[in-house]
Each structure stands twice: as C-alpha cells, then as structure tokens.
Amino acid sequence: MAGVSSCMKYSMFIFNVLFWMCGCIILGVSIWMRVSKAAQEDLNLDSSLFSAVDLMIAVGSIIMVLGFLGCCGAMKESQCMLILFFIGLLLILILQVVAGILGAVYKSQSEIDLCDLFSVTILPFHPSISPLLQNQCCGLVKGSEDWGSNFNSPYGNFKICECAEKDQNTDLCIFYSNRYIYKKPCSVVVIDFFKHHMVILMGIAFGLAFIEIVGLGFSMSLYCQIQRK
C-alpha cells in the first residue's frame, strides 16, 4: 500500500507553521493593544474600540489552534487532528462566503447598520474624535446635528466642520450657520471609501480564501494518504 508523501507531509507542516505564526502575531499584538495603556494612548484607542480588539484576540487564538492542529496532524500523521483542522478551516471559509453573500444581498441594510453602529459606539465620544474622521466630512450620521452644542467650538485653527478655504466653492461644502461646512456626514465618507476600495477588499478576501483552500487541499490529501497506508 502507498505510504504518506514526505513532500505533502512537510508542505502541510510548513504551511501550518506559517499559519500558526500569523495567529501568534495577531494574538500578541491584540493583547498588547488591549492591556497596554501606552499602546492605547499611542493608537488613540478608547473603550468603544475594545470589542474590535477582543475580536482580533479571538481570531488570533483560533488561527493558532488550527495551526497547531495542522502541524501536529502532519508530523504525527494523526487523522483526528487533520480532520479537526479541515473542519475548522472549512467553517471559516463557509462563514466568509456567507458573509460576502449577505453583504451583497443586503447591501443597503448593511449601510444602515453601519450608520447605527456609528450612532451607538462612536457618537457618544464625538468631542474627542480623531481629526482624521473630520477630513472633508461633518459629524458622524446626521451631519452638523451630531455636534450639538459643540458645533461652534474651535477645532484647531477652524471651527468644527468648517471647510478649508480651497474647498469652500466646491460641492463638498454648504453655507450653514454663518460659515461653510462640509455637507457629508463621516459615515457616508467611510461607506464611500469602502465602495471605492472594494477591489482591494475583494482581493484580500479572495487571497484569504485561496490560502484556506490550499490548506483544505493539503489536509484532506494527507488524511487520505494516511488512511490508505
């Protein structure tokens, strides 16, 4: 009976070592961001973003576990570990596909949900929002209304939402409350950004899917070879 291909075995091992290392990096950086006060200050992280960091910790942990299963399954020729690796990776791939389909089908609802997310998680912190969010946009969801009583407060060398002089006569601005302000809410700008960079995002998604399919192929091929021994 045919034995296990050494090439397949070590290819699977190397693939999963890299996979495991990626998980370690994601987990390590995420934990550092979560517990280090210095990191939170340097990266301007506040409690509203901790849920995203927690998600990264979970993702890093899952990748590490899958990488470990793949490595040990390949070297020990363990069918149990290989099938667990295969199932875990397959579930991740299915979730990605489902998320992509739902995102395409419920595109308009996704935009509404994103606006709701802005309202719930970011809007309460709007007085301390990074200046990057106020680049050619005003407020988060409802424009100038989001700033409330802070609307006439100074914001660096300008007042909040005030257009730069070069933009005042463009479609970016409207005249409101005795000054030119940017008319688009920042949630709209963020959505437009994702729309304009959809090709890059799709490329990343397809790249991840390709890597996952390669991992699935390695694990199932090795599993079958072990079974035929």
Side-chain angles (χ1 to χ4, degrees):
M1 298 177 72
V4 176
S5 167
S6 296
C7 178
M8 180 65 68
K9 181 176 177 177
Y10 288 106
S11 295
M12 177 73 177
F13 176 77
I14 293 169
F15 173 85
N16 281 283
V17 166
L18 296 175
F19 200 56
W20 181 82
M21 288 174 64
C22 288
C24 288
I25 292 169
I26 293 171
L27 182 62
V29 171
S30 302
I31 292 174
W32 172 68
M33 291 168 63
R34 190 68 171 83
V35 302
S36 172
K37 297 293 183 184
Q40 292 167 16
E41 290 175 2
D42 291 341
L43 299 172
N44 293 321
L45 293 176
D46 55 44
S47 57
S48 65
L49 298 176
F50 283 170
S51 57
V53 176
D54 292 339
L55 179 61
M56 288 175 61
I57 291 173
V59 169
S61 301
I62 291 169
I63 291 174
M64 280 185 65
V65 170
L66 288 176
F68 174 79
L69 288 172
C71 286
C72 292
M75 296 310 295
K76 292 183 176 293
E77 299 182 9
S78 168
Q79 288 181 291
C80 179
M81 286 185 172
L82 287 172
I83 202 65
L84 285 174
F85 172 83
F86 180 87
I87 291 170
L89 205 56
L90 182 61
L91 287 174
I92 292 173
L93 182 61
I94 291 171
L95 286 173
Q96 282 181 220
V97 172
V98 170
I101 293 171
L102 291 177
V105 173
Y106 298 104
K107 183 179 177 183
S108 58
Q109 183 61 42
S110 299
E111 294 178 5
I112 294 171
D113 291 342
L114 181 59
C115 288
D116 290 342
L117 181 66
F118 270 117
S119 299
V120 173
T121 62
I122 301 178
L123 192 54
F125 302 94
H126 69 265
S128 59
I129 287 171
S130 165
L132 292 175
L133 261 183
Q134 292 305 313
N135 183 27
Q136 297 188 344
C137 59
C138 179
L140 291 171
V141 179
K142 298 179 181 178
S144 57
E145 292 180 29
D146 292 334
W147 289 100
S149 59
N150 294 308
F151 180 67
N152 290 312
S153 301
Y155 193 80
N157 296 325
F158 299 90
K159 287 188 176 180
I160 284 172
C161 294
E162 187 173 1
C163 287
E165 188 174 349
K166 64 182 178 63
D167 294 330
Q168 289 182 0
N169 295 319
T170 67
D171 291 337
L172 294 172
C173 303
I174 57 172
F175 192 75
Y176 177 81
S177 189
N178 297 320
R179 67 177 185 270
Y180 284 97
I181 65 169
Y182 290 110
K183 63 182 180 181
K184 282 187 178 182
C186 289
S187 58
V188 174
V189 172
V190 171
I191 291 170
D192 287 344
F193 174 84
F194 282 114
K195 285 180 179 177
H196 294 152
H197 293 78
M198 190 58 67
V199 174
I200 297 174
L201 295 173
M202 287 178 65
I204 293 171
F206 278 115
L208 289 172
F210 175 77
I211 292 170
E212 289 161 4
I213 290 169
V214 169
L216 291 172
F218 275 142
S219 60
M220 185 50 63
S221 178
L222 193 57
Y223 177 88
C224 292
Q225 287 184 17
I226 294 169
Q227 196 172 39
R228 288 196 298 265
K229 280 178 61 177

